[in-house]
Amino acid sequence: MIKKLFESGYFNYQDFILDNMKKLSLSPLESIVLLKMLDEFKTDKRILIDEILNDLVEKRSSVEEALANLNEKGFYEVYITNDNGLGEEAASLDGFFEKVESILNNNIVSDKGDELYSVIEYLNNTLNRVLTSDEIDMVTSLVKDDCYYLDSFKNAVEVKLKNRSVITIKTIAKALATKDKPKNVKANNELMKDFINKVK
């Protein structure tokens, strides 16, 4: 959706990036380079470093480093197109558009006092990144359908997953689903058997 708005000229990406630098985990130079990439992307799907450098007073090496960081953070990908039998390098900014949608979904989800908002904010901070739209869907289901609260998520992360080096939404969901069996399970089973026998 955001990509279509961008291509139609209806998405003010300049203001969005400047307003959301922290949420996007961008440095000032990375933000400027990304803005230049988006400006150029309207007419050329390639990443031309000379075009990016045109209006910048930065060293080439600094811009190249910013480009490498943006690629590593998933803002864009480079691929080869095959036009008339000739391989040509092109770029995809789908990663950026996905990040925009994730941020907008977080903001639209609900009021700040809402449980879902609190859970998503907690997970953003815990994972040190913005959740993807698929992850937001999963968390929304866990909160709204399965009735897990912020305390449950904190418990899953801090108690059940404390020894894990990598924590993902999937591992958190598994930890939430894994409940300690009550101590009186055996007694409950015996009571159930007695009840069934009496009903027969």
Side-chain angles (χ1 to χ4, degrees):
M1 179 61 147
I2 298 298
K3 185 178 179 179
K4 286 181 182 175
L5 290 172
F6 168 78
E7 288 170 346
S8 303
Y10 294 116
F11 175 51
N12 188 342
Y13 57 90
Q14 294 96 339
D15 285 351
F16 183 87
I17 289 170
L18 296 174
D19 291 343
N20 293 280
M21 276 174 58
K22 190 175 178 184
K23 285 185 180 179
L24 290 165
S25 301
L26 291 172
S27 70
L29 180 57
E30 287 167 359
S31 298
I32 292 166
V33 170
L34 181 58
L35 286 169
K36 290 288 290 175
M37 285 171 67
L38 286 158
D39 290 343
E40 296 300 324
F41 202 72
K42 292 173 189 173
T43 55
D44 197 330
K45 302 295 186 238
R46 294 173 298 163
I47 295 174
L48 303 171
I49 194 160
D50 290 329
E51 294 294 328
I52 293 170
L53 281 164
N54 260 351
D55 302 320
L56 300 181
V57 288
E58 292 291 332
K59 293 179 182 174
R60 188 181 188 93
S61 58
S62 300
V63 172
E64 285 174 349
E65 186 182 342
L67 278 168
N69 291 342
L70 288 167
N71 180 252
E72 196 175 303
K73 291 176 182 179
F75 282 87
Y76 75 95
E77 288 180 349
V78 176
Y79 61 95
I80 302 296
T81 60
N82 197 346
D83 248 354
N84 300 324
L86 296 172
E88 197 173 74
E89 199 175 84
S92 165
L93 289 169
D94 288 353
F96 166 69
F97 298 119
E98 284 172 16
K99 289 175 191 293
V100 171
E101 286 190 17
S102 294
I103 290 172
L104 291 175
N105 283 338
N106 275 346
N107 290 339
I108 291 167
V109 151
S110 52
D111 298 323
K112 289 199 174 186
D114 188 84
E115 191 73 18
L116 181 56
Y117 179 89
S118 302
V119 169
I120 290 173
E121 282 295 289
Y122 168 72
L123 293 172
N124 283 340
N125 293 330
T126 300
L127 300 177
N128 200 26
R129 63 176 174 78
V130 176
L131 300 187
T132 66
S133 52
D134 287 342
E135 289 172 332
I136 290 171
D137 290 343
M138 194 184 298
V139 172
T140 302
S141 175
L142 288 167
V143 172
K144 292 195 170 181
D145 300 336
D146 301 330
C147 299
Y148 287 110
Y149 296 101
L150 179 60
D151 289 342
S152 306
F153 283 87
K154 286 183 176 177
N155 184 58
V157 171
E158 293 165 14
V159 178
K160 296 184 180 179
L161 302 174
K162 64 181 177 184
N163 296 324
R164 284 183 176 259
S165 56
V166 177
I167 297 173
T168 65
I169 298 301
K170 285 184 181 178
T171 58
I172 292 170
K174 282 181 186 174
L176 287 169
T178 309
K179 294 178 181 175
D180 298 326
K181 289 183 179 178
K183 293 175 184 175
N184 59 351
V185 167
K186 194 172 181 181
N188 286 342
N189 286 344
E190 293 302 321
L191 286 170
M192 186 59 75
K193 281 179 189 174
D194 286 346
F195 173 75
I196 291 168
N197 287 333
K198 286 175 185 174
V199 171
K200 286 179 181 176

